[in-house]
């Protein structure tokens, strides 16, 4: 049986109001994969973390663009969140639980931990001055609960 | 977004919105801090009855208010948490910091 494939790309201003928009787009894209409510909520949380990072850490400039890509490859959902912002100095440090470069914004430093906890795979590609790409993968197999 | 805050006997009740993300977290924290400064508040009670979505932004809101309330010898509580809220609380360790027995 051939695997069902689908692809979507969107780009939006780096404004916090668009965090909800990004979650809605991903939720709509994955509906066809028949996710459980928990899987849907897990992906929405992870996407929210990645988009928030792009907005407050990557850019800090609302006129810049955050790119969102959704890919379906059979039972595999991949979500890519990309910015062309400042990049991350030290990815390993950034991924430590409770590490935040902006404690004054009441950021908890749990963003990457949540992405890891709620998705099956997390990849972070970052280059200083060039930007950051977050690749999130989750398997949405029917009847396959955690 | 307009939240209906309520103060009853030194307790500030905060009806958390349907979706708690970074976008709304900023204003919730600001509004609570204003109310704590203006009224005699000893407990901040976060009510999650209407909350269907949250990300890690909720942690900053709650830990920030916990620190503030400690200065006033008060505390923060979370009530009416659904399954999602409980999961987020467990994953982040908030369940060990925020009381649920209001």
């Amino acid at each position: 049986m051939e695997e069902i494939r689908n692809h979507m790309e969107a780009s939006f201003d780096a404004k916090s109001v668009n965090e909800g928009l990004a979650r809605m787009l991903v939720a709509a894209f994955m509906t066809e994969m028949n996710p459980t409510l928990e899987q849907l909520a897990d992906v929405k949380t992870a996407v929210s973390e990645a988009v928030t990072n792009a907005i407050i850490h990557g850019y800090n400039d609302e006129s810049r663009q955050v790119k969102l890509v959704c890919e379906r490859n059979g039972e595999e959902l991949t979500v890519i969140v990309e910015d062309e912002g400042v990049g991350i100095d030290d990815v390993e440090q950034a991924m430590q639980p409770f590490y935040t470069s902006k404690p004054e914004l009441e950021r908890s430093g749990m963003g990457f931990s949540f992405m890891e906890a709620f998705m099956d795979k997390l990849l972070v590609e970052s280059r200083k001055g060039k930007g950051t790409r977050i690749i999130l993968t989750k398997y949405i197999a029917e009847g396959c609960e955690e | 977004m307009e939240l209906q805050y309520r103060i009853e006997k030194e307790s500030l009740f905060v009806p958390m919105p349907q979706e708690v993300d970074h976008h709304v977290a900023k204003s919730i924290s600001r509004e609570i801090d204003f109310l704590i400064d203006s009224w005699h508040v000893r407990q901040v009670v976060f009510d999650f009855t209407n909350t269907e979505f949250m990300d890690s932004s909720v942690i900053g809101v709650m830990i920030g208010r916990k620190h503030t309330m400690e200065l006033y010898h008060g505390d923060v509580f979370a009530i009416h948490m659904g399954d999602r809220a409980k999961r987020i609380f467990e994953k982040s360790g908030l369940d060990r910091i925020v009381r649920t027995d209001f």
Side-chain angles (χ1 to χ4, degrees):
Chain A
M1 198 176 78
E2 202 172 307
E3 286 191 325
I4 299 171
R5 287 168 188 272
N6 200 3
H7 178 94
M8 182 206 74
E9 283 187 33
S11 169
F12 48 84
D13 285 357
K15 292 179 179 172
S16 63
V17 69
N18 287 332
E19 291 155 11
L21 174 74
R23 292 195 297 272
M24 278 172 56
L25 285 170
V26 176
F29 181 87
M30 67 186 285
T31 303
E32 213 201 346
M33 300 173 80
N34 289 321
T36 63
L37 284 176
E38 182 160 305
Q39 287 168 333
L40 188 65
D42 285 355
V43 173
K44 281 169 75 176
T45 299
V47 168
S48 203
E49 303 296 347
V51 171
T52 302
N53 277 354
I55 290 171
I56 59 181
H57 298 289
Y59 286 134
N60 205 9
D61 173 358
E62 294 193 341
S63 67
R64 304 291 299 275
Q65 293 290 298
V66 179
K67 190 175 163 191
L68 175 73
V69 180
C70 291
E71 290 259 0
R72 177 182 180 180
N73 202 340
E75 294 174 339
E76 188 186 83
L77 171 75
T78 302
V79 181
I80 302 172
V81 177
E82 208 176 315
D83 68 66
E84 294 177 345
V86 296
I88 302 169
D89 281 333
D90 182 342
V91 173
E92 207 175 311
Q93 182 186 44
M95 291 179 75
Q96 293 296 317
F98 305 111
Y99 173 80
T100 177
S101 58
K102 298 204 171 174
E104 72 280 8
L105 294 183
E106 279 197 344
R107 303 306 302 164
S108 63
M110 288 299 282
F112 279 121
S113 301
F114 270 31
M115 289 183 234
E116 274 186 312
F118 294 127
M119 299 297 283
D120 292 318
K121 264 196 271 176
L122 163 66
L123 252 171
V124 182
E125 297 171 359
S126 193
R127 276 175 67 199
K128 199 139 170 58
K130 295 280 182 192
T132 301
R133 180 189 289 140
I134 308 290
I135 304 163
L136 303 157
T137 307
K138 195 165 181 83
Y139 296 97
I140 316 279
E142 267 184 271
C144 172
E145 294 287 282
E146 280 184 44
Chain B
M1 183 194 58
E2 289 259 321
L3 294 181
Q4 297 292 317
Y5 296 95
R6 183 164 56 86
I7 295 172
E8 224 174 77
K9 291 182 188 161
E10 302 190 340
S11 297
L12 168 63
F13 288 85
V14 181
M16 294 298 268
Q18 196 174 341
E19 306 217 317
V20 186
D21 63 6
H22 154 251
H23 180 62
V24 299
K26 293 177 285 185
S27 53
I28 296 174
S29 291
R30 197 171 50 233
E31 287 166 7
I32 295 173
D33 287 347
F34 172 76
L35 289 167
I36 293 173
D37 274 348
S38 320
W39 298 79
H40 193 69
V41 173
R42 280 289 163 82
Q43 287 98 30
V44 179
V45 185
F46 293 90
D47 184 343
F48 288 96
T49 304
N50 298 315
T51 304
E52 290 167 10
F53 171 84
M54 59 173 83
D55 64 18
S56 70
S57 307
V58 76
I59 304 169
V61 175
M62 302 204 71
I63 293 186
R65 306 299 76 69
K66 173 102 180 169
H67 288 157
T68 308
M69 289 318 294
E70 276 168 358
L71 300 175
Y72 292 88
H73 305 286
D75 211 346
V76 299
F77 296 83
I79 58 169
H80 300 140
M81 286 195 292
D83 290 345
R84 191 64 197 169
K86 283 180 187 156
R87 193 159 143 87
I88 296 278
F89 270 55
E90 278 164 27
K91 293 269 185 210
S92 61
L94 267 184
D95 57 337
R96 295 191 296 274
I97 298 166
V98 173
R99 291 169 62 178
T100 53
D101 56 342
F102 184 77

